[in-house]
Amino acid sequence: MNCKYYLFLLLLFLSAPLLNAQINYASKADHLIGCWLVSGKSAVKSNQPEFGGVGDGRIVFQENFAHPALPEGWATRSADKSHTWYVNSFPIDDERSFQSVDPDDRGSAIVDYVLNHDFDEWLITKPIAHSGDTLTALFYLGLDPDFTFAGVDVLFHLSIDDGISWMPLWKASESVIDVTQQFFSWWKITVPIPAVAKNKTMKLAWQHVGKNGDQVLLDGFKLIAPAFSDRITIYEGDSLQFYANYSDQKSLYWLFPGGIPAASAARRPMVRYEREGIYPVTLSLPSEGGTSVKDNYIEVLAQKPEALFEVAAGVYHTVSGSYAVPPRQEFKLYDRSTCYPRVWNWSLPNSNIVQSDEQHPVLYYPEEGAFDIALQVENSAGTASCFLKEGIKVAREEHVWNILPDDTVGGFELFGGYHGYFPGSNTRTYLRYAEYFAKPLRKALLSEAVLFFVANSTNNPDAEIRVSVHQVGADGYPGVELASAAKKIKEVQLPTGTTLRATHFAFPEPVWMESDYFIVIDGIPNGENDCVVFSAAYPREDKGTAFICHKNQDPYTGQAEEHERWNRTEDIELLRKSTSYAVLSKLTYEENGTDLVTQTELSETVFEGEIIGSRMLFKLYRPIEALRVYSVTGVLLHETGGMRPGDYQVDDLCSTRFYIVSLQTREGVQVFKLVDRLNK
C-alpha cells in the first residue's frame, strides 16, 4: 500500500511539468486559433493589414486510406486491438462508400460498433513536417449522429512533442454535426491548426471515445496551406471567406465590389459572387488609417447553364408525368436553371402568351388539351434547353399525385426485410401513412383516392384498409378528418406482371378542397405473417411529401413511449431519404372558380370596346360564353354565343346614348358601360 502511494506521488511529480506545458500550450493555441491567418504569416500590429481568402490554398499533406491496411507510419492506440481503427472499403451503392465524395476512393478508416465496449481508440498520423504556414485540416467523418453520440464522441488532437502530450482542437458533438440527425451522412470538417515553428514535426490524431455508440468512418484527410497567389478563381454563385492577419481587436472594414455583401465590418466575412468578372478586395483599419488593396484578386467565371424549371405549388403531376392545370387558370413557371443564365426564351404553344422572355412567366391555357413546353437559357458560357412533349395537361378533371417522372415506384424492404416492408407491414410499428398535397390552383372537388398495392398476404383478408382526407393541423400534420372510404384487404388489386393496378377508394361524400390537405392510409396489419404493401417512390434526395405516424419505439429493446407521433419520411432513421407515396387524388376543378388574377384585373383585361353611331367595335382578351348588349332601360339589343379572344364588331344597333355590355365568362358575369361617340 505504502509503496503504491509513494509511486503515485513520484509519478505526479514527474508528470507536473508535462501537465503545465500542456495547459500553457492549450492557452497559447486558443489565442492563435483566434487570429488564424489565411495569409500564412504571423499576426502583425502595424497599420498595414494583410489578408487572403480561404480558396487561396494548396495541399501540403493528404491521406485517403487505401484498402486494406493503415497508411505506412500511422499508428493506433487501444486497450483492445480487436476493436480499434482499421481500413475497409464499401461498394459504391453502400451509403458508407466515400465514392459519393471522391469517385477514386479505395477505402476508409473505421471503428466498428461493439455492444457494451468501452472505447478509447486513437488513430495517429506519422510525423509531419510543418512548413511554417498557417494550416487548415480538412477531413470527413461518416456517421449516424443520433446513434453515435448516444454513446461515443470523436475528438481531433495535435501534438508537437511526438505524442507525449496532446492538445484537443475539435470535438464532433460540439461541431457543425447535427447530433439529432437520424441517418448516416458524410460530414465535411475543417479545423484550423495552430501556428508551429517551421520544420517542426507534429502529429495529429483522432480519438474515438465512449461506450456502445455506432460505427464511425474517417476519410479524405488533407492539410491545406495558403498559396500566396495574386488571384483566386471561382465560379458564379460561389462563396469565399476572407481572413486578416491583424491581431489587435480593433475595427476592420472590408470592401467587396461585385460581392454580396459589398462591404463588411466582420473579422472573417463570407462573400458570394453572382456575376462573372474580375474584382478587387480592400481591407482598411479605420482607427489606424491603414489600407491594403488587392486589385484583380477575385476572378469569377461563368459556367454553361443547365435548363431547368418548376411550377407553382398546387400544380400536380398526372399519371403520365405531365403537369396538371385547369383551363383558364393563371399559374407561374419558375426558372430553376443552374449557373446564372442571363437570357430566357420560353415556348408555350396554345397558352395566352405563346412566347416569353421573362425569367418567371405567368400564363394560362384557354382550352383543354395536352401541350408542349420548352425553355432555352443562355449566358456567356453557352446555351442549354429543355423540352417536355405534352408537358402541360389542361383538363377540368384529373387524377393527380406527387410522384416525379423519373421516380421508381413500388414496395421495398426495410433493411433487407429485417424490419419488414415499406410502406406496409413492418416491425417498426408504423401505424398510419400520410401524403401531403398542396393547395389546388382552384377550388376542387375531391371524390376519390387511388392506391397501388404490391402485396396483400395476411392472416385476416377481411380486415379493412381505410383511406381518409384530412385538413392540415396547426402542427403541420394531419388534422380534422373530412371524408373516408375503406376496402377489405382481399379486395385490393395486385400487379399483373410488372404493371401496377389501381385500387379505387371512392368517398361516399366528396369534399371541396381549397387549402392544403392530406390523404391518410391506415389499417395496414403488422402481424408475424402479414405482408400488405402499397407503393411509394423509392427514397430520393428531396421533394418528399410523405409522412409516417409511429410509436416512439426503440428497435432493439422494444420499449415504446405512450404517445404516437407523426414524422416526415426524411426524419425516419430507417428510410434515410425522403419519398412520396403513389397516392392519386381525383380532382374536379370548380367550373366558375376564381382565377389567381383579381376580379378588378379581369374587368380591365377581358374586354375593350367603343360604339360609333350604330356600330360597336370591341376586343376580347379571354374566351366568353355569351355577350349581350342592352339599352340603358334594359332592352336587349344584341346577343351572341361563345366567342374566342379576338377583334369583333356588331352593326345596326338601335340608336341610344348609353349601352350596357354584359359578358358571361366561366368566372362569372362582368358588366361594362359604353357611350356612343357620335351621340353625346
PDB file of all heavy atoms in Angstrom, residues 37-50:
ATOM      1  N   LEU A  37      -4.645  32.952 -39.606  1.00  0.00           N
ATOM      2  CA  LEU A  37      -4.337  33.787 -40.759  1.00  0.00           C
ATOM      3  C   LEU A  37      -4.240  32.947 -42.017  1.00  0.00           C
ATOM      4  O   LEU A  37      -3.377  32.086 -42.128  1.00  0.00           O
ATOM      5  CB  LEU A  37      -2.990  34.501 -40.543  1.00  0.00           C
ATOM      6  CG  LEU A  37      -2.789  35.054 -39.131  1.00  0.00           C
ATOM      7  CD1 LEU A  37      -1.405  35.601 -38.991  1.00  0.00           C
ATOM      8  CD2 LEU A  37      -3.837  36.100 -38.862  1.00  0.00           C
ATOM      9  N   VAL A  38      -5.105  33.212 -42.975  1.00  0.00           N
ATOM     10  CA  VAL A  38      -5.003  32.518 -44.242  1.00  0.00           C
ATOM     11  C   VAL A  38      -3.788  32.985 -45.023  1.00  0.00           C
ATOM     12  O   VAL A  38      -3.233  32.286 -45.850  1.00  0.00           O
ATOM     13  CB  VAL A  38      -6.301  32.725 -45.055  1.00  0.00           C
ATOM     14  CG1 VAL A  38      -6.154  32.239 -46.476  1.00  0.00           C
ATOM     15  CG2 VAL A  38      -7.429  31.980 -44.381  1.00  0.00           C
ATOM     16  N   SER A  39      -3.328  34.208 -44.753  1.00  0.00           N
ATOM     17  CA  SER A  39      -2.138  34.689 -45.446  1.00  0.00           C
ATOM     18  C   SER A  39      -0.910  33.858 -45.107  1.00  0.00           C
ATOM     19  O   SER A  39       0.086  33.881 -45.811  1.00  0.00           O
ATOM     20  CB  SER A  39      -1.870  36.149 -45.081  1.00  0.00           C
ATOM     21  OG  SER A  39      -1.479  36.245 -43.724  1.00  0.00           O
ATOM     22  N   GLY A  40      -0.977  33.119 -44.002  1.00  0.00           N
ATOM     23  CA  GLY A  40       0.130  32.253 -43.635  1.00  0.00           C
ATOM     24  C   GLY A  40       1.250  32.956 -42.923  1.00  0.00           C
ATOM     25  O   GLY A  40       2.268  32.360 -42.619  1.00  0.00           O
ATOM     26  N   LYS A  41       1.104  34.235 -42.616  1.00  0.00           N
ATOM     27  CA  LYS A  41       2.164  34.970 -41.927  1.00  0.00           C
ATOM     28  C   LYS A  41       1.732  35.271 -40.507  1.00  0.00           C
ATOM     29  O   LYS A  41       0.566  35.220 -40.162  1.00  0.00           O
ATOM     30  CB  LYS A  41       2.460  36.264 -42.681  1.00  0.00           C
ATOM     31  CG  LYS A  41       2.953  36.027 -44.114  1.00  0.00           C
ATOM     32  CD  LYS A  41       3.237  37.328 -44.816  1.00  0.00           C
ATOM     33  CE  LYS A  41       3.721  37.074 -46.250  1.00  0.00           C
ATOM     34  NZ  LYS A  41       4.002  38.348 -46.954  1.00  0.00           N
ATOM     35  N   SER A  42       2.712  35.616 -39.684  1.00  0.00           N
ATOM     36  CA  SER A  42       2.407  35.903 -38.291  1.00  0.00           C
ATOM     37  C   SER A  42       1.523  37.138 -38.175  1.00  0.00           C
ATOM     38  O   SER A  42       1.564  38.038 -39.009  1.00  0.00           O
ATOM     39  CB  SER A  42       3.696  36.124 -37.503  1.00  0.00           C
ATOM     40  OG  SER A  42       4.505  34.977 -37.558  1.00  0.00           O
ATOM     41  N   ALA A  43       0.730  37.178 -37.106  1.00  0.00           N
ATOM     42  CA  ALA A  43      -0.114  38.338 -36.868  1.00  0.00           C
ATOM     43  C   ALA A  43       0.754  39.566 -36.651  1.00  0.00           C
ATOM     44  O   ALA A  43       1.808  39.511 -36.032  1.00  0.00           O
ATOM     45  CB  ALA A  43      -0.990  38.102 -35.649  1.00  0.00           C
ATOM     46  N   VAL A  44       0.302  40.702 -37.202  1.00  0.00           N
ATOM     47  CA  VAL A  44       1.075  41.936 -37.102  1.00  0.00           C
ATOM     48  C   VAL A  44       0.275  42.989 -36.371  1.00  0.00           C
ATOM     49  O   VAL A  44      -0.934  42.896 -36.238  1.00  0.00           O
ATOM     50  CB  VAL A  44       1.449  42.468 -38.505  1.00  0.00           C
ATOM     51  CG1 VAL A  44       2.320  41.482 -39.240  1.00  0.00           C
ATOM     52  CG2 VAL A  44       0.199  42.775 -39.318  1.00  0.00           C
ATOM     53  N   LYS A  45       0.963  44.007 -35.888  1.00  0.00           N
ATOM     54  CA  LYS A  45       0.315  45.114 -35.204  1.00  0.00           C
ATOM     55  C   LYS A  45       0.596  46.440 -35.915  1.00  0.00           C
ATOM     56  O   LYS A  45       0.482  47.499 -35.340  1.00  0.00           O
ATOM     57  CB  LYS A  45       0.768  45.180 -33.750  1.00  0.00           C
ATOM     58  CG  LYS A  45       0.356  43.957 -32.937  1.00  0.00           C
ATOM     59  CD  LYS A  45       0.672  44.120 -31.468  1.00  0.00           C
ATOM     60  CE  LYS A  45       0.204  42.926 -30.670  1.00  0.00           C
ATOM     61  NZ  LYS A  45       0.447  43.084 -29.220  1.00  0.00           N
ATOM     62  N   SER A  46       1.007  46.370 -37.172  1.00  0.00           N
ATOM     63  CA  SER A  46       1.225  47.595 -37.939  1.00  0.00           C
ATOM     64  C   SER A  46      -0.104  48.074 -38.490  1.00  0.00           C
ATOM     65  O   SER A  46      -1.137  47.450 -38.291  1.00  0.00           O
ATOM     66  CB  SER A  46       2.195  47.317 -39.079  1.00  0.00           C
ATOM     67  OG  SER A  46       1.555  46.513 -40.051  1.00  0.00           O
ATOM     68  N   ASN A  47      -0.097  49.206 -39.190  1.00  0.00           N
ATOM     69  CA  ASN A  47      -1.331  49.702 -39.778  1.00  0.00           C
ATOM     70  C   ASN A  47      -1.461  49.271 -41.240  1.00  0.00           C
ATOM     71  O   ASN A  47      -2.219  49.864 -41.990  1.00  0.00           O
ATOM     72  CB  ASN A  47      -1.408  51.234 -39.674  1.00  0.00           C
ATOM     73  CG  ASN A  47      -0.293  51.913 -40.455  1.00  0.00           C
ATOM     74  OD1 ASN A  47       0.598  51.246 -40.964  1.00  0.00           O
ATOM     75  ND2 ASN A  47      -0.357  53.239 -40.539  1.00  0.00           N
ATOM     76  N   GLN A  48      -0.712  48.236 -41.647  1.00  0.00           N
ATOM     77  CA  GLN A  48      -0.830  47.710 -42.996  1.00  0.00           C
ATOM     78  C   GLN A  48      -1.294  46.250 -42.914  1.00  0.00           C
ATOM     79  O   GLN A  48      -0.486  45.334 -42.879  1.00  0.00           O
ATOM     80  CB  GLN A  48       0.508  47.802 -43.740  1.00  0.00           C
ATOM     81  CG  GLN A  48       0.922  49.221 -44.101  1.00  0.00           C
ATOM     82  CD  GLN A  48      -0.087  49.878 -45.028  1.00  0.00           C
ATOM     83  OE1 GLN A  48      -0.663  50.896 -44.698  1.00  0.00           O
ATOM     84  NE2 GLN A  48      -0.326  49.270 -46.175  1.00  0.00           N
ATOM     85  N   PRO A  49      -2.577  46.022 -42.823  1.00  0.00           N
ATOM     86  CA  PRO A  49      -3.077  44.650 -42.674  1.00  0.00           C
ATOM     87  C   PRO A  49      -2.850  43.834 -43.939  1.00  0.00           C
ATOM     88  O   PRO A  49      -2.809  44.365 -45.045  1.00  0.00           O
ATOM     89  CB  PRO A  49      -4.570  44.858 -42.420  1.00  0.00           C
ATOM     90  CG  PRO A  49      -4.888  46.145 -43.119  1.00  0.00           C
ATOM     91  CD  PRO A  49      -3.677  47.004 -42.951  1.00  0.00           C
ATOM     92  N   GLU A  50      -2.711  42.531 -43.754  1.00  0.00           N
ATOM     93  CA  GLU A  50      -2.651  41.609 -44.872  1.00  0.00           C
ATOM     94  C   GLU A  50      -3.843  40.684 -44.778  1.00  0.00           C
ATOM     95  O   GLU A  50      -4.363  40.412 -43.702  1.00  0.00           O
ATOM     96  CB  GLU A  50      -1.340  40.819 -44.837  1.00  0.00           C
ATOM     97  CG  GLU A  50      -0.105  41.684 -45.022  1.00  0.00           C
ATOM     98  CD  GLU A  50       1.143  40.841 -45.212  1.00  0.00           C
ATOM     99  OE1 GLU A  50       1.024  39.777 -45.852  1.00  0.00           O
ATOM    100  OE2 GLU A  50       2.205  41.242 -44.718  1.00  0.00           O
TER     101      GLU A  50
END
